[in-house]
Amino acid sequence: MTITDTLTQLGTHVQTPASPETAVLETVPYDRIGGPPAIVRFTCPEFTSLCPVTGQPDFAHIVIDYAPDKLLVESKSLKLFMVSFRNHGAFHEDCTVMIGRRVVAATKPLWLRIAGYWYPRGGIPIDVFWQTGKPPEGVWLPETGVAPYRGRG
């Protein structure tokens, strides 16, 4: 059975963090069995942040794939972390990489990749990709499922 005694957000009412810097990513233990590692995917199709120059909202479809080692990111804490970007001003590249690095810092996975598919502003979509290195041997990596921009449909 997974020990959840240390979780402070799951099962309770929690205010949205004021910023990504103050958001807490919680983890739970994970017992990895033999064979190729599992790939865990989180998809956030309605991610929002703010343009740091204009303050206008930016929208993205974020896909996180990671191969956990000893820790899983607890999904409610991840949701709260992602929502905390709604009032955060940063460029697309900074937001995408910051998310990836925070998940890596919290979980210390065998491997992680993140894809940020940003919707156009000024007519140009920006897609941002980051990963920690080569995927582990023998894992099955699905496509991210998000097509290059053609109306994203």
Side-chain angles (χ1 to χ4, degrees):
M1 175 182 270
T2 301
I3 300 169
T4 59
D5 298 358
T6 60
L7 298 177
T8 62
Q9 299 172 89
L10 185 63
T12 63
H13 176 73
V14 179
Q15 294 293 324
T16 300
S19 70
E21 294 82 11
T22 62
V24 176
L25 279 176
E26 296 187 324
T27 61
V28 294
Y30 176 66
D31 291 325
R32 195 168 82 75
I33 57 173
I39 298 296
V40 177
R41 171 169 287 173
F42 289 103
T43 304
C44 185
E46 299 176 348
F47 180 85
T48 59
S49 65
L50 298 177
C51 172
V53 176
T54 67
Q56 293 296 308
D58 287 322
F59 301 90
H61 186 143
I62 305 286
V63 179
I64 303 166
D65 291 319
Y66 77 107
D69 187 16
K70 294 179 172 66
L71 297 171
L72 298 170
V73 67
E74 191 282 310
S75 63
K76 181 176 181 181
S77 72
L78 180 65
K79 291 172 195 173
L80 290 165
F81 172 60
M82 300 295 273
V83 168
S84 73
F85 280 86
R86 288 187 177 166
N87 295 315
H88 179 73
F91 290 114
H92 305 334
E93 298 85 351
D94 294 331
C95 288
T96 305
V97 174
M98 177 188 212
I99 294 165
R101 288 185 178 184
R102 283 289 303 275
V103 173
V104 166
T107 64
K108 297 171 185 46
L110 301 170
W111 174 82
L112 177 139
R113 77 174 175 190
I114 183 169
Y117 298 92
W118 293 83
Y119 290 86
R121 292 209 40 228
I124 299 174
I126 298 174
D127 295 340
V128 181
F129 307 96
W130 183 80
Q131 69 182 33
T132 58
K134 291 184 179 182
E137 186 73 30
V139 299
W140 175 69
L141 288 176
E143 294 297 321
T144 59
V146 181
Y149 189 76
R150 295 183 74 139
R152 294 274 194 248

